[in-house]
């Protein structure tokens, strides 16, 4: 079970300290929710912020691009130290080309499927993928309620995908929703409100890992 804390829910006045705390608490990867104020309402982190924090920790960085025209941002975030770049297929005019571009920078590839996005959108790109991120909330903010209908999507995807492709879930994750995701075949999760609201990062990460 791979635990990816989302920096969106970290204290924005001390991101560096938060990162170090997550590392000692046992986080596996770090999830950066990049929002541009167009694809979703909020504006969050740019590549300068990601690059500055890359120096602080050996944890792999996952960059979740919730932006218009993700192609335009791939080079900057690849240079900033992203290890995995996740795009929303609806925003990629040529999804296969976008995934090739990510691979050409030597990075791992991910696609995020919104609650209303069908699995078929990735049918002919599966060989290009390292991760599928199932959005269990609509993208845009942390602290939303988990959408149960996505459990079936996880199950169907796990049947279709080769085992080396990881399924992560993102949104509304806590021990109870994560348990259901695991039962349907998820391999990892993003955690925001649950982890950062817990008061003890190590205990919260262990609670998710020990399901
Ligand atoms: C939503 C983001 C998520 C979110 C998760 O747009 O992609 O990563 O921050 O936060 P929680 O766990 O609070 O739903
Ligand atoms: Zn995310």
């Amino acid at each position: 079970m791979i635990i990816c804390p989302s920096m969106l829910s970290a204290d924005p006045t001390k991101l560096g300290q938060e990162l170090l705390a997550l590392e000692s608490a046992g986080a596996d990867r770090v999830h950066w929710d990049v929002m541009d104020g167009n694809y979703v309402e909020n504006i969050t982190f740019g590549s300068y912020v990601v690059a500055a924090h890359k120096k602080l920790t050996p944890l792999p960085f996952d960059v979740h691009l919730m932006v218009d025209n993700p192609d335009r941002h791939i080079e900057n975030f690849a240079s900033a130290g992203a290890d995995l770049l996740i795009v929303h297929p609806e925003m990629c005019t040529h999804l296969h080309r976008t995934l090739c571009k990510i691979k050409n920078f030597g990075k791992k590839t991910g696609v995020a499927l919104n609650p209303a996005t069908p699995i078929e959108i990735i049918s002919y790109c599966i060989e290009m993928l390292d991760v599928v991120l199932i959005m269990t909330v609509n993208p845009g903010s942390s602290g939303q309620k988990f959408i149960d209908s996505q459990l079936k999507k996880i199950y169907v995807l796990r049947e279709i995908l080769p085992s080396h492709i990881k399924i992560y879930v993102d949104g509304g994750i806590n021990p109870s929703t994560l348990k259901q995701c695991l039962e349907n075949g998820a391999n990892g999760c993003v955690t925001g409100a649950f982890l950062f609201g817990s008061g003890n990062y190590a205990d919260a990460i262990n609670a998710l890992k020990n399901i």
Side-chain angles (χ1 to χ4, degrees):
M1 170 51 42
I2 299 157
I3 309 292
C4 317
S6 163
M7 295 306 284
L8 184 60
S9 296
D11 181 340
T13 65
K14 48 176 191 177
L15 291 180
Q17 290 168 51
E18 291 274 57
L19 210 47
L20 299 179
L22 293 168
E23 188 186 321
S24 34
D28 297 298
R29 312 179 67 86
V30 178
H31 186 88
W32 292 92
D33 283 306
V34 173
M35 303 183 184
D36 67 350
N38 289 307
Y39 179 62
V40 291
E41 260 181 44
N42 284 322
I43 299 177
T44 57
F45 315 107
S47 57
Y48 286 107
V49 173
V50 173
H53 289 86
K54 184 68 182 174
K55 302 175 192 123
L56 299 180
T57 175
L59 289 178
F61 277 10
D62 299 348
V63 171
H64 178 187
L65 289 172
M66 284 165 276
V67 299
D68 283 353
N69 193 3
D71 283 70
R72 199 173 155 206
H73 302 279
I74 286 167
E75 182 167 5
N76 278 347
F77 281 100
S79 308
D83 297 281
L84 162 69
L85 280 149
I86 302 166
V87 295
H88 281 256
E90 315 86 352
M91 303 316 293
C92 301
T93 311
H94 305 288
L95 176 61
H96 193 278
R97 182 176 286 155
T98 303
L99 297 172
C100 287
K101 187 169 176 180
I102 296 171
K103 285 227 177 285
N104 287 340
F105 282 108
K107 308 300 181 181
K108 292 201 181 300
T109 56
V111 290
L113 300 182
N114 283 339
T117 304
I119 290 168
E120 286 69 26
I121 199 163
I122 57 168
S123 293
Y124 293 95
C125 296
I126 286 176
E127 77 284 359
M128 300 295 298
L129 295 174
D130 295 297
V131 168
V132 178
L133 185 74
I134 300 292
M135 295 304 299
T136 41
V137 299
N138 285 295
S141 60
S142 72
Q144 301 180 73
K145 190 177 176 298
F146 182 88
I147 299 173
D148 293 321
S149 60
Q150 301 310 299
L151 292 169
K152 185 177 175 199
K153 195 188 279 181
I154 298 166
Y155 180 83
V156 173
L157 251 183
R158 190 67 280 167
E159 296 279 295
I160 295 169
L161 293 179
S163 58
H164 70 274
I165 302 179
K166 306 275 187 239
I167 298 178
Y168 294 170
V169 287
D170 186 3
I173 294 300
N174 57 43
S176 134
T177 54
L178 182 58
K179 183 166 187 286
Q180 299 172 68
C181 294
L182 290 186
E183 285 165 357
N184 283 280
N187 311 107
C189 73
V190 176
T191 169
F194 169 73
L195 173 63
F196 289 92
S198 68
N200 185 318
Y201 296 170
D203 286 352
I205 288 175
N206 282 334
L208 295 173
K209 283 202 173 184
N210 291 333
I211 287 167

